[in-house]
Amino acid sequence: MQQMMCPRCGAQMNHHAEKVEFSSVRDGLTATDRTLDGILQNVYACPNCGGIEMRRVS
Amino acid sequence: MSTPVLSIPVILGTTRHGHMSGYAAQFMRDQIAKRNGVETELIDIGTMAIPTTDAGEAIKDAAFSFAMMRADALVLVVPEYNHGYPGFLKHVLDTNLKEYIHKAVGICGVSAGGFGGTRVIQNLLPVMRELGLVTIFWDVNFSSVQNVFDAAGTLLDQSFLTRSEKFLNELVWMAKVLRHGRENVALA
């Protein structure tokens, strides 16, 4: 898994969840997205500044 | 942003005027504020100008999203309307997602009758789960709320001091554990 650096403070973020985001957006869905009926997202938290980021699973 | 202090905002989940839920929300905020190492604020969704013609990220309220990102746990104070939750509360909650994930939530139900919002709490549980929040097993049920507070909002029923203490003990524990997990425990 590619590391996520915090865009706010530059620290390495912790990947602590995968979450399906149910959305009306249907463009560009991957096979996994279609299987799960939503967009699969990785969720990260920054142990340094508390920032939160979500990045679509590629 | 990330400090040893826990952030536990209270969300007042109704837009109606003249409601007793406001007194319940203020009471919960005051109980949280008494705790060392915890900061809180009262978020009144009735003051939020969120459009109702769209949904989700497109209509995010920046201040609300920042408060949710900063939060380690949430307290929802919610009146029961026809056995359900206020529609605008759901609309507001649905504007965020990543901000909630792996954070603790406790729910306080409010009703004029004797059930203390038990049905609105039950109806909110699957919503909390889908938003990525982690529910605690304590609730606070403000049954016959008109007898819990007087017309000025003064607490009349002192048992709520004990009830809220048990609720907040569990919520703070869960908030600490989940914060450690979010920041330090990687998904397998």
Side-chain angles (χ1 to χ4, degrees):
Chain A
M1 163 117 15
Q2 186 180 357
Q3 291 182 351
M4 171 73 98
M5 309 311 288
C6 180
R8 297 145 59 93
C9 73
Q12 183 175 328
M13 303 184 85
N14 182 47
H15 174 226
H16 66 93
E18 283 184 335
K19 178 76 177 72
V20 174
E21 180 181 14
F22 295 103
S23 168
S24 58
V25 175
R26 282 293 179 263
D27 295 335
L29 293 183
T30 66
T32 301
D33 291 338
R34 282 191 291 273
T35 299
L36 299 174
D37 198 29
I39 299 169
L40 187 59
Q41 303 273 11
N42 284 319
V43 186
Y44 303 82
C46 177
N48 185 53
C49 75
I52 299 168
E53 292 297 324
M54 199 160 68
R55 183 167 60 190
R56 189 169 181 169
V57 174
S58 56
Chain B
M1 176 63 53
S2 183
T3 68
V5 174
L6 293 174
S7 173
I8 306 181
V10 176
I11 299 176
L12 172 56
T14 179
T15 60
R16 293 188 188 175
H17 295 281
H19 49 71
M20 298 290 283
S21 299
Y23 293 148
Q26 290 166 13
F27 169 76
M28 293 304 300
R29 179 200 57 192
D30 292 346
Q31 298 312 301
I32 297 169
K34 290 177 183 173
R35 292 180 169 243
N36 291 326
V38 182
E39 60 182 31
T40 186
E41 63 177 314
L42 180 56
I43 299 173
D44 181 352
I45 66 165
T47 65
M48 297 171 62
I50 288 187
T52 55
T53 52
D54 203 345
E57 295 269 338
I59 57 167
K60 267 186 166 182
D61 178 279
F64 181 73
S65 294
F66 182 75
M68 295 304 99
M69 183 183 74
R70 196 163 173 273
D72 295 293
L74 304 176
V75 172
L76 300 186
V77 177
V78 188
E80 183 174 305
Y81 296 157
N82 291 331
H83 292 197
Y85 42 78
F88 193 68
L89 173 63
K90 178 69 160 59
H91 185 64
V92 169
L93 291 172
D94 283 349
T95 59
N96 288 265
L97 178 62
K98 68 181 180 185
E99 292 83 355
Y100 302 131
I101 294 175
H102 286 162
K103 295 184 177 180
V105 63
I107 308 173
C108 306
V110 182
S111 70
F115 294 104
T118 54
R119 291 168 293 213
V120 71
I121 292 172
Q122 291 301 115
N123 285 330
L124 272 170
L125 291 179
V127 177
M128 300 294 98
R129 178 175 175 269
E130 187 46 46
L131 290 176
L133 290 159
V134 180
T135 56
I136 62 170
F137 50 73
W138 282 90
D139 307 318
V140 179
N141 301 102
F142 290 96
S143 307
S144 304
V145 66
Q146 66 278 7
N147 298 327
V148 178
F149 301 98
D150 69 13
T154 304
L155 183 70
L156 299 174
D157 185 344
Q158 301 304 308
S159 72
F160 279 89
L161 295 171
T162 303
R163 296 181 194 196
S164 62
E165 181 186 19
K166 301 298 184 189
F167 171 94
L168 291 174
N169 286 346
E170 171 66 12
L171 187 69
V172 168
W173 187 92
M174 191 71 84
K176 289 177 179 175
V177 169
L178 289 172
R179 179 167 172 169
H180 175 80
R182 286 194 309 275
E183 296 182 350
N184 299 287
V185 181
L187 186 69

